[in-house]
Amino acid sequence: MATPLLRLLPGGTSTPEIRAADGPPAAQWRAFLPPAPTRGITVQDLARRYLAHLAAAGSPSVRDVRTMVRRHLLPAFGAELADDLEVDRLVAWARALTTLPSPRTGRSLARRTAEKLLSLLSSLLEYGIGEARAVRRNAVREVPRAHLQAYHP
């Protein structure tokens, strides 16, 4: 009969020692793992959590971020699942920002502003991957930034 393999936990504690001392080993392993990501968070819900996170951290940019989210990100992506954002759609959105007139001002946005909005969306998704554990991928990482220069009127 083969001897069972012992899995070592941090600190050199083996599974049988934990089972004997503290109950089932799975409960002990969970203490060392981050919570499992939830599925299906919308960009709007993620933005709400991100803004609360920035406010709790005392970030001076909360007001500006809230404005950019409200004016640009939520109208375009608010109802979409963060994990379902597609690179082609993000590129088309950035192109529209820099070529089509804004309903509010009548002018298109500068290329730099479109880049800042992509950067904000990327930060939001990174927060969702790391802190919130609610997003599995950041599609903005795959957006070729060189294309934005070609879109500038």
Side-chain angles (χ1 to χ4, degrees):
M1 182 171 165
T3 58
L5 292 175
L6 293 180
R7 293 180 287 174
L8 292 179
L9 295 174
T13 307
S14 69
T15 305
E17 290 168 349
I18 288 176
R19 186 176 296 125
D22 299 321
Q28 294 298 317
W29 280 100
R30 275 189 232 115
F32 296 102
L33 297 174
T38 57
R39 289 286 294 152
I41 190 167
T42 63
V43 172
Q44 181 174 354
D45 291 339
L46 184 60
R48 189 176 300 120
R49 289 171 67 176
Y50 181 63
L51 288 167
H53 169 75
L54 290 179
S59 174
S61 63
V62 173
R63 191 170 138 195
D64 292 338
V65 170
R66 183 178 290 119
T67 299
M68 289 188 290
V69 165
R70 188 187 71 232
R71 284 187 184 162
H72 300 287
L73 299 184
L74 294 184
F77 308 112
E80 293 186 40
L81 296 178
D83 280 328
D84 291 345
L85 292 176
E86 297 290 331
V87 174
D88 293 343
R89 186 149 153 57
L90 294 173
V91 169
W93 174 67
R95 182 179 202 176
L97 289 174
T98 59
T99 57
L100 300 176
S102 164
R104 195 171 66 82
T105 64
R107 297 185 327 244
S108 63
L109 297 179
R111 179 181 52 88
R112 176 68 187 124
T113 304
E115 289 173 351
K116 286 168 64 174
L117 288 168
L118 279 171
S119 180
L120 171 59
L121 182 57
S122 181
S123 295
L124 185 85
L125 294 171
E126 288 298 324
Y127 167 78
I129 291 168
E131 295 286 323
R133 305 267 312 145
V135 178
R136 295 180 188 266
R137 78 184 255 275
N138 181 351
V140 179
R141 285 186 200 156
E142 302 166 33
V143 173
R145 301 296 169 102
H147 286 296
L148 291 178
Q149 291 178 343
Y151 299 150
H152 188 60

